Amino acid sequence: MKRYQNIMGGLLGVLCATGAAHAATLTIATVNNPDMLQMQKLSPQFTKETGIKLHWVVLPENTLRQRVTTDIATNSGNFDVVTVGTYEVPIWAKSHWLDPMTGLPASYDVKDIFPSVRKGLSYKGMLYALPFYAESSVTYYRTDLFKKAGITMPKHPTYKQIAEYAAKINDPAKGVYGICLRGLPGWGENMAYIDTLVNTYGGRWFDMKWQPKLDSAAWKNAVTFYVNLEKKYGPPNATSNGFTENLALFSQGKCGMWIDSTVAAGTLWDPKTSKVAHDVGMVDAPVAVTPKGAHWLWAWSLAIPKSTRKEADAKKFLEWATSKQYLALAGKTFGWVQTPPGTRISTYDNPNYLKAAPFAKMVKHAILTADPNDPTLKKVPYVGVQFVAIPQFEGIGTEVGQQIAAVLAGQKSVEAALKQAQSSTARTMKEAGYH
């Protein structure tokens, strides 16, 4: 009898464990961008198909990065799936913080992902995250305002032209600002844009000996231009505006121009989410003295931390959320114009998407021509257009972003801010053993 009870107890234990596994709940950390919010809305379909429940932690970009980095670095295990980008993935993979994306089924079709995106999410030839959407940067503008002002936006604008156009269409009395640019401090917020501006002005973060170059003429010229442009023709309180805030401003008809991520196009061209959907134009990101590094490359992606105990279920979610089937589901549910862009070759062969998204070919071109391996006019020892692919950059970029935000807020001069940025960056690099 006792033996029978033991056997039954063991069977019940197995059944309970199996039931628990099927009722697993994944905790997902993601950013509050429109495409991720759509993923959250579509996720009941994943639960319906798999039985796996999802708990969402949706955060602003800067907060997400802090929370996820701390959680992974301390091996806390609070998240089973994390949203990361092309900066973090190779660095975290090297530190053994992420599970590799091996054993993907043939139906997932890894080779359908753009090669440059795959490369950006790999370490030593192995993929460590799956891309949810990929992006470069472009110039958005209001075609109606340009027509009214009697000006024509060229396909390849210069920054000098951008300043001239901002002056002509700026009309704050009517709630329209000549230009909106990121001002919210953060290495992935204001610095993502400012990095491209510095690049095209001929600047760089470091020389070949890892000496910081933030007090160079190129940095001073770029930051001075940025601050003057924002102060003269930008919205008030610009230091509070990151990607999400500027997307809302442009969608509401408050920006004449906006230089930012290609991923915004789906929202801006959709009448359901944009008041100016019929009056939006898109051209290349502007150039100052060199086209090198004038537009960035980024992929918001999903990865599995080593600290999770739910690897198999987490991997199922990653495969689902980044698959061809998911892209089709998003297109049918929200309209093809809102399909997460920039990751798969097949998206840009899809007639439904191409018909709904007049910007598609240009976005593809911007993503494929951004070159993280050759981002600057002068040679550099690092990889990355709008970031430097070293662990120290998260702290360095955030500190420099705060210094530039202080200039924009009128708290210090460009010279004082860059002097402080140069000093703090040199100190960090010396402590890290770069020189």
Side-chain angles (χ1 to χ4, degrees):
M1 183 69 182
K2 191 173 182 181
R3 186 181 172 203
Y4 172 78
Q5 288 173 332
N6 288 341
I7 292 170
M8 289 304 294
L11 285 170
L12 283 169
V14 169
L15 288 170
C16 289
T18 305
H22 283 299
T25 298
L26 298 175
T27 300
I28 301 170
T30 196
V31 66
N32 63 343
N33 289 351
D35 290 86
M36 278 65 175
L37 298 177
Q38 288 182 0
M39 174 170 59
Q40 188 180 2
K41 288 177 184 176
L42 292 175
S43 62
Q45 181 68 30
F46 172 76
T47 300
K48 183 180 176 183
E49 292 173 12
T50 63
I52 300 167
K53 297 175 182 177
L54 304 173
H55 171 63
W56 293 85
V57 180
V58 183
L59 302 164
E61 192 167 317
N62 286 344
T63 310
L64 172 83
R65 288 193 165 111
Q66 291 165 2
R67 286 275 299 275
V68 169
T69 303
T70 301
D71 187 73
I72 287 192
T74 57
N75 204 36
S76 297
N78 290 319
F79 303 120
D80 304 301
V81 175
V82 293
T83 304
V84 290
T86 39
Y87 166 70
E88 295 96 342
V89 173
I91 294 171
W92 291 6
K94 186 179 180 181
S95 297
H96 307 290
W97 290 354
L98 301 175
D99 280 343
M101 293 292 105
T102 53
L104 292 166
S107 59
Y108 183 78
D109 195 2
V110 174
K111 289 186 177 179
D112 186 46
I113 298 170
F114 284 125
S116 59
V117 176
R118 284 207 314 267
K119 187 177 180 181
L121 299 174
S122 298
Y123 174 67
K124 290 188 174 179
M126 186 174 287
L127 200 59
Y128 278 86
L130 299 180
F132 184 68
Y133 73 72
E135 62 180 58
S136 185
S137 53
V138 290
T139 305
Y140 298 104
Y141 69 101
R142 288 272 301 279
T143 55
D144 56 333
L145 297 181
F146 269 65
K147 186 177 180 180
K148 186 179 177 182
I151 48 178
T152 303
M153 175 71 86
K155 291 182 180 180
H156 312 288
T158 66
Y159 269 108
K160 183 182 177 184
Q161 289 172 318
I162 292 294
E164 291 169 358
Y165 301 155
K168 289 183 179 179
I169 59 177
N170 190 49
D171 194 356
K174 292 184 179 177
V176 177
Y177 302 95
I179 194 160
C180 295
L181 298 170
R182 297 188 189 193
L184 184 69
W187 71 265
E189 278 286 7
N190 65 341
M191 291 314 299
Y193 167 70
I194 292 167
D195 286 354
T196 63
L197 184 64
V198 169
N199 291 341
T200 193
Y201 264 87
R204 53 185 173 166
W205 278 91
F206 303 98
D207 65 16
M208 290 301 289
K209 295 181 179 178
W210 288 104
Q211 296 289 339
K213 306 301 290 183
L214 284 86
D215 57 356
S216 65
W219 270 85
K220 288 175 184 173
N221 292 339
V223 174
T224 299
F225 175 86
Y226 161 79
V227 170
N228 288 341
L229 194 64
E230 274 280 72
K231 280 187 173 180
K232 286 181 181 177
Y233 313 119
N237 306 313
T239 55
S240 299
N241 297 338
F243 168 78
T244 305
E245 292 77 15
N246 281 325
L247 175 60
L249 285 169
F250 198 104
S251 299
Q252 291 161 12
K254 296 184 182 298
C255 303
M257 290 182 290
W258 180 34
I259 303 161
D260 214 301
S261 168
T262 55
V263 79
T267 300
L268 297 180
W269 259 266
D270 188 345
K272 297 194 295 290
T273 52
S274 171
K275 291 180 180 178
V276 296
H278 301 296
D279 299 307
V280 186
M282 175 199 281
V283 293
D284 284 344
V287 168
V289 300
T290 175
K292 283 196 173 185
H295 59 287
W296 69 60
L297 179 66
W298 183 258
W300 274 120
S301 308
L302 302 174
I304 302 172
K306 279 279 187 184
S307 52
T308 184
R309 295 178 182 177
K310 304 169 185 174
E311 294 90 346
D313 287 340
K315 199 168 184 182
K316 285 179 185 176
F317 178 76
L318 263 66
E319 290 174 12
W320 176 82
T322 63
S323 65
K324 293 180 185 179
Q325 291 74 21
Y326 176 89
L327 294 173
L329 178 64
K332 289 171 185 174
T333 305
F334 302 111
W336 286 101
V337 71
Q338 293 276 19
T339 303
T343 59
R344 288 184 172 272
I345 297 165
S346 56
T347 300
Y348 294 84
D349 293 332
N350 184 330
N352 292 316
Y353 182 66
L354 295 177
K355 184 179 178 182
F359 49 80
K361 289 182 179 178
M362 188 167 177
V363 170
K364 179 182 176 182
H365 173 75
I367 289 171
L368 295 181
T369 54
D371 190 354
N373 295 299
D374 187 21
T376 53
L377 188 61
K378 295 179 180 177
K379 286 187 177 182
V380 290
Y382 56 85
V383 171
V385 179
Q386 80 284 20
F387 58 81
V388 177
I390 58 173
Q392 293 74 22
F393 183 73
E394 188 168 352
I396 289 170
T398 298
E399 164 66 21
V400 176
Q402 288 167 348
Q403 292 294 330
I404 294 175
V407 180
L408 190 57
Q411 296 167 358
K412 58 172 61 178
S413 67
V414 172
E415 290 74 17
L418 292 180
K419 184 179 179 182
Q420 176 64 37
Q422 173 75 9
S423 174
S424 63
T425 302
R427 185 168 59 250
T428 299
M429 295 301 281
K430 187 175 182 181
E431 289 171 356
Y434 281 84
H435 48 76

